[in-house]
Amino acid sequence: MITSNYDWKLAVSKLDDGQINELAQTLHHSPLLIKILAQRGLENANQIKDFLEPQGQHVHDPYLLYDMEKAIDRIQQAIIENQKIFIYGDYDADGITSTAVMYETLLQLGANVHYFVPDRFKDGYGPNLSEYQNLEKQGMQLLVTVDNGVSGYDEVQYLMDKGIDVIITDHHELPAKLPPAYAIVHPMHPKGNYPFKGLAGVGVAFKVACALLDDIPQEELDLVAIGTVADVMSLTDENRDLVSFGIEELKTTMRPGLSALLEVTKTKPDEIDSDTIGFTIAPRLNSLGRLENASLGVKLLTTLDETEAAQLAQHTHDLNQQRQTLVATITKEAEQILNQTGQSHLVNVIAGKNWHEGVLGIVASRITEETKRPTIVLTLTEDNLYKGSGRSVEGFNLFEAFDSHRKLFESFGGHAQACGLSIKPDNLAGFQVIADQEAENQHFKGDKRPVLEINEELPAASISLDLINELNLLAPFGCDNPRPVFKITGIQNPQLKVMGDQGQHFRIDFQTGHGSLAGVKFNASPAEIHQLQAEHLDGIAIVGELTVNRWQGRTTPQIQICDLKDETGNEVNDFKLKVIDQRFISSPNKFNSEFVYGFFNVKLLKQVAAQVASNIKLISLNDQVPITGDTLVIVDCPPSIAAFESLIDRLQVKQIVLKCYTQHNIASKPLPSRQDFGKLYRFTSTHHDVDLRKDLEKLANYLNFDKESLVFMIQVFSEAKFVKIKNGLLTGTPSNQRIELTKTKRYQARVAQIQAQQLFLNAKTADLLKRLDLTI
């Protein structure tokens, strides 16, 4: 049986079908497009129009960045006085484009400017004291960092002590102690209040360029788009506008280097999109830093010599092919080592020899994707150290795992999902033990599959170029704005074809009832391909993204496969179940005879039953029986999270609508304290025959409790037999026996009720579904 790699979950929105259709008519778009936008939190016409038609409204004033004015004044002073300025960059695509933007801007202003891009293997990432000293010897009078700098406290202090000012422009996580730089331009500066925190390094450099030029340099936007997409930054807010404009600039770029690179990769300018950046341009720029020196990338982007541009573009392209070969070879060898050592570890630690350091991060990423476990890939270097990179999965924080074990390493750095390290051979065995122990400490078991969010079911026969063109209105696609994902239905006669020089890709051709269509997957794992080859594909379900295939002058629709599974067997799940969240929508109390209305509160059920027509179906949700129908409206808030989870297990409906009304919102009220219970105990132990029907409110005022809390406390006392109530009269029954009131059923139910109300009345839709682990 073909099994999926993910748990499939249907995306939800707060809008119902009627609201979606109304917006679709107003905005002249399909309901499908509006539904996807609503699933992403865009729920009114203005928000949707603003998103679909970026006009630069999110491009913020550069002077809103902290220290911007100070940085500009210092750079202008350096230009006026012809001081020697060095730009210190980074070796990835974001660092290369950042360096190019800053270099071209300062050249345009007549600055005496030079750039330096560190070597990945000799200098490492970020500030390097030795290189700072070399630049000092070359007469540097001002240093401007791009896409790095905030991690270099000691290095920056050295230059500042020498009288060489340092201006840091960066976007990486800020340390607790900032470097003593002349100025730090950073969207997350603790003293700043920049409206958008997600700028890439090139985005920050671009804002400096805007401030220096007192204008938006349109000609730099192609580089901004490349660096932002390559660094997997959020394509929302300001980045969405900058990348949208940058892609248009890239289509007509005047840069000889980019033109040559597009030509050597056979990329047509009018077909450029964020995928072109992510899969064609960025990998080639990154290959320079992985295999040689990334300064060649800056030269490629800034040269005006077409002959030099063509040579650099071809060299970059050749290096990328070399990088691909290295990755394929090392991945295969690493997989063999992993298979030989067994897969019993929670964290893969794979060590080899003679592997190229520059591609180990990609190899680790490939094996992480294949095994769904954190993976560290290391190679033994000439200085007798194992050096390499790690990649992780949701549920395991690499930095948290190894930060407290720094004594084990010669070097270590990174964040939750990626790290780099070096370690002595003698410590390698101990590293595996620690890695597995840390996985247990983080309760990572390696058995939880990632969730794949699906936007909608889509009949294969409805897939067309027109539909894809409309969905492309959501572009540019990337981080926080992914391509929509669909479950494709109506697949007939599927046929498998393995592709690629190493058999690493596959295609599934099938009939739709109105023609043929194909789904493709690149860089599939050998296990997945072997499984497909061994199984019949009839009854297979495909989940994927809609793209186009351009081949021999023809353009046809195509599905980029994300996941597959056999739905003829036991893997069929409750995919049909949809969740419509209407908890925060004020609407009239209208009841539809086509729906089933469920109540946890029986008293509320009876009240409603007395007021609605007899053809309205009302049921209690407390009965432990299956619930059938098309739509179940959950009217009131469950008394506990467990009660709701029990309900989900009994559902046999297509969709649920969450209303979650409550008559008594106690989620924000604190539970009575021990002192509160003590105060009530002292009162009840000395009073008899208190008439609760007449004097409850008077008693609440006397004890300084709200009435609802007092009722709850009396109920707890009644269960604990501290009081007895007969004919509405309360009498204290003091006891010498110690009773833990928090263990009473009434108290426990109150805690469960508060937890349920905090979740069902206050949580955002995504957080609610995640907490309940709803796989839809």
Side-chain angles (χ1 to χ4, degrees):
M1 176 179 290
I2 299 168
T3 57
S4 67
N5 295 314
Y6 299 87
D7 285 332
W8 296 0
K9 171 184 174 182
L10 193 65
V12 297
S13 78
K14 297 178 183 177
L15 302 185
D16 58 29
D17 290 344
Q19 293 167 312
I20 287 171
N21 289 332
E22 184 178 345
L23 279 171
Q25 291 177 1
T26 300
L27 296 170
H28 307 292
H29 291 298
S30 72
L32 177 60
L33 184 71
I34 300 301
K35 184 173 186 176
I36 294 168
L37 288 164
Q39 290 165 347
R40 298 182 182 186
L42 304 173
E43 295 164 357
N44 63 57
N46 288 335
Q47 289 176 333
I48 292 172
K49 188 174 181 180
D50 182 56
F51 182 86
L52 294 178
E53 301 173 12
Q55 303 292 326
Q57 61 270 44
H58 298 298
V59 179
H60 306 297
D61 181 348
Y63 283 98
L64 294 176
L65 282 159
Y66 188 79
D67 265 356
M68 179 65 83
E69 186 171 357
K70 191 175 180 183
I72 297 306
D73 288 345
R74 180 64 185 87
I75 293 172
Q76 288 175 336
Q77 177 192 350
I79 295 172
I80 292 170
E81 297 178 4
N82 197 36
Q83 294 179 2
K84 194 169 189 177
I85 305 172
F86 267 94
I87 300 165
Y88 194 100
D90 188 29
Y91 43 69
D92 67 0
D94 188 20
I96 291 170
T97 52
S98 301
T99 305
V101 167
M102 191 69 74
Y103 179 64
E104 289 185 336
T105 300
L106 293 180
L107 274 184
Q108 183 179 340
L109 292 169
N112 179 8
V113 61
H114 311 265
Y115 62 83
F116 173 82
V117 180
D119 184 284
R120 176 190 293 265
F121 311 106
K122 181 171 67 73
D123 303 317
Y125 167 76
N128 180 290
L129 182 59
S130 176
E131 293 298 351
Y132 276 13
Q133 291 170 335
N134 287 337
L135 298 180
E136 177 192 2
K137 292 175 183 177
Q138 295 178 47
M140 176 176 65
Q141 296 167 281
L142 173 65
L143 179 69
V144 179
T145 73
V146 291
D147 193 33
N148 76 95
V150 292
S151 63
Y153 186 94
D154 293 338
E155 294 85 353
V156 171
Q157 183 71 69
Y158 171 83
L159 289 183
M160 296 295 290
D161 288 344
K162 291 285 187 175
I164 300 172
D165 288 334
V166 179
I167 294 172
I168 293 173
T169 75
D170 201 353
H171 73 123
H172 291 96
E173 289 294 327
L174 292 165
K177 189 177 182 181
L178 293 177
Y182 183 87
I184 299 178
V185 181
H186 194 297
M188 292 184 286
H189 196 291
K191 294 183 180 179
N193 192 29
Y194 194 67
F196 179 61
K197 311 300 182 187
L199 290 174
V202 70
V204 181
F206 180 74
K207 304 307 286 192
V208 174
C210 292
L212 280 169
L213 298 169
D214 195 24
D215 194 7
I216 295 178
Q218 302 282 339
E219 67 279 4
E220 301 294 340
L221 284 168
D222 50 1
L223 301 186
V224 176
I226 292 171
T228 302
V229 172
D231 222 40
V232 198
M233 303 305 295
S234 176
L235 294 189
T236 59
D237 199 272
E238 186 166 19
N239 280 348
R240 177 171 174 81
D241 285 13
L242 293 177
V243 173
S244 296
F245 302 147
I247 288 174
E248 294 306 309
E249 186 71 24
L250 190 54
K251 290 178 180 178
T252 58
T253 185
M254 299 299 291
R255 299 179 184 277
L258 280 179
S259 295
L261 192 59
L262 294 173
E263 184 175 347
V264 78
T265 58
K266 298 180 173 58
T267 302
K268 295 180 179 179
D270 61 344
E271 296 173 356
I272 291 173
D273 57 15
S274 57
D275 285 348
T276 308
I277 296 172
F279 298 108
T280 300
I281 298 175
R284 284 162 175 79
L285 292 178
N286 282 328
S287 69
L288 293 168
R290 290 185 182 281
L291 302 185
E292 289 189 356
N293 190 286
S295 60
L296 291 175
V298 181
K299 185 178 290 187
L300 172 70
L301 296 178
T302 59
T303 184
L304 298 177
D305 186 319
E306 293 189 358
T307 301
E308 182 182 50
Q311 293 171 345
L312 287 170
Q314 186 62 55
H315 181 64
T316 302
H317 180 64
D318 293 342
L319 270 184
N320 187 61
Q321 291 182 316
Q322 182 182 339
R323 188 269 307 170
Q324 291 173 324
T325 301
L326 283 170
V327 168
T329 301
I330 296 172
T331 300
K332 188 173 182 179
E333 293 177 5
E335 288 171 340
Q336 290 173 346
I337 292 174
L338 186 63
N339 291 332
Q340 290 168 2
T341 57
Q343 298 191 16
S344 59
H345 296 291
L346 292 172
V347 179
N348 301 322
V349 177
I350 307 171
K353 297 179 180 178
N354 302 316
W355 290 346
H356 198 292
E357 288 179 54
V359 301
L360 296 187
I362 303 175
V363 175
S365 181
R366 292 272 178 91
I367 296 178
T368 296
E369 175 66 24
E370 181 179 340
T371 64
K372 303 295 185 291
R373 292 199 300 271
T375 300
I376 320 293
V377 180
L378 306 162
T379 186
L380 188 63
T381 60
E382 293 180 355
D383 49 0
N384 199 35
L385 286 176
Y386 278 104
K387 295 181 180 179
S389 298
R391 297 293 185 268
S392 195
V393 296
E394 184 179 355
F396 185 76
N397 186 315
L398 280 171
F399 186 80
E400 184 180 300
F402 303 131
D403 185 44
S404 60
H405 300 282
R406 286 182 179 268
K407 291 183 179 179
L408 187 71
F409 309 113
E410 299 308 298
S411 64
F412 171 76
H415 52 81
Q417 294 299 304
C419 72
L421 58 90
S422 61
I423 187 171
K424 290 180 178 179
D426 292 344
N427 292 333
L428 198 59
F431 178 38
Q432 177 71 77
V433 173
I434 287 173
D436 288 337
Q437 183 60 55
E438 286 297 333
E440 293 184 9
N441 293 344
Q442 294 187 29
H443 307 291
F444 176 77
K445 298 179 180 179
D447 56 356
K448 186 175 181 180
R449 297 193 303 179
V451 172
L452 178 61
E453 188 170 81
I454 298 167
N455 295 98
E456 186 61 289
E457 282 191 359
L458 201 62
S462 70
I463 297 173
S464 66
L465 290 176
D466 287 341
L467 173 61
I468 294 172
N469 288 335
E470 184 181 31
L471 293 174
N472 282 341
L473 294 174
L474 301 170
F477 297 115
C479 179
D480 293 333
N481 187 46
R483 285 186 182 275
V485 175
F486 301 101
K487 180 185 177 186
I488 311 301
T489 62
I491 296 173
Q492 303 171 19
N493 192 29
Q495 302 293 324
L496 175 70
K497 181 179 180 181
V498 178
M499 307 181 298
D501 54 359
Q502 298 181 21
Q504 71 273 38
H505 319 308
F506 69 83
R507 186 177 83 203
I508 295 178
D509 296 296
F510 59 90
Q511 299 299 312
T512 70
H514 291 98
S516 60
L517 200 61
V520 298
K521 185 168 185 179
F522 299 104
N523 294 313
S525 69
E528 183 175 13
I529 293 176
H530 292 157
Q531 185 184 46
L532 290 171
Q533 290 174 322
E535 298 284 349
H536 293 292
L537 299 185
D538 291 335
I540 198 167
I542 294 178
V543 170
E545 304 167 352
L546 303 188
T547 60
V548 296
N549 178 40
R550 297 182 175 94
W551 176 250
Q552 295 183 338
R554 294 181 64 238
T555 301
T556 56
Q558 180 174 268
I559 301 166
Q560 193 86 26
I561 295 174
C562 300
D563 199 21
L564 299 161
K565 72 176 170 185
D566 185 348
E567 287 207 330
T568 60
N570 296 326
E571 275 223 48
V572 177
N573 62 5
D574 293 329
F575 180 80
K576 293 289 185 182
L577 178 63
K578 297 181 181 179
V579 176
I580 299 175
D581 188 354
Q582 293 189 354
R583 293 173 300 148
F584 308 117
I585 297 177
S586 298
S587 58
N589 294 323
K590 295 181 179 179
F591 289 83
N592 189 323
S593 61
E594 297 179 2
F595 296 168
V596 177
Y597 293 85
F599 296 78
F600 288 100
N601 188 319
V602 177
K603 183 178 179 181
L604 180 61
L605 168 60
K606 292 178 179 179
Q607 290 174 351
V608 173
Q611 300 174 26
V612 300
S614 59
N615 65 333
I616 302 299
K617 188 174 182 181
L618 310 178
I619 65 170
S620 170
L621 299 177
N622 302 313
D623 301 329
Q624 298 300 308
V625 296
I627 298 173
T628 60
D630 288 332
T631 300
L632 170 67
V633 180
I634 299 177
V635 177
D636 56 340
C637 184
S640 67
I641 297 173
F644 185 85
E645 291 173 334
S646 173
L647 168 67
I648 291 297
D649 291 339
R650 294 182 278 115
L651 289 184
Q652 296 176 13
V653 298
K654 291 184 179 179
Q655 65 180 9
I656 60 174
V657 178
L658 298 178
K659 292 286 190 181
C660 298
Y661 165 78
T662 184
Q663 291 175 303
H664 302 289
N665 187 343
I666 63 171
S668 59
K669 291 183 180 180
L671 281 163
S673 65
R674 182 181 294 274
Q675 290 77 12
D676 293 335
F677 279 112
K679 184 192 291 187
L680 179 61
Y681 184 81
R682 288 190 294 272
F683 176 86
T684 58
S685 63
T686 57
H687 288 75
H688 302 276
D689 296 333
V690 178
D691 193 334
L692 295 179
R693 289 170 294 194
K694 290 174 51 180
D695 299 329
L696 181 64
E697 190 163 345
K698 188 186 299 183
L699 177 60
N701 291 334
Y702 174 75
L703 295 174
N704 197 26
F705 297 146
D706 68 85
K707 188 165 67 172
E708 199 276 334
S709 294
L710 176 60
V711 170
F712 162 65
M713 295 167 68
I714 292 173
Q715 291 170 334
V716 172
F717 272 21
S718 178
E719 182 182 340
K721 296 186 171 23
F722 286 175
V723 298
K724 66 178 181 180
I725 302 171
K726 187 175 183 180
N727 297 325
L729 300 178
L730 178 145
T731 298
T733 56
S735 171
N736 292 326
Q737 183 179 359
R738 181 177 177 82
I739 297 176
E740 183 57 60
L741 297 179
T742 59
K743 299 295 176 58
T744 61
K745 292 180 180 178
R746 180 67 67 172
Y747 191 96
Q748 292 292 318
R750 178 77 161 206
V751 171
Q753 186 181 16
I754 290 173
Q755 292 173 341
Q757 288 192 1
Q758 288 172 339
L759 180 65
F760 286 95
L761 302 184
N762 301 329
K764 295 179 180 178
T765 301
D767 295 335
L768 175 67
L769 295 182
K770 183 177 181 180
R771 166 61 183 83
L772 296 171
D773 196 25
L774 282 178
T775 302
I776 305 169

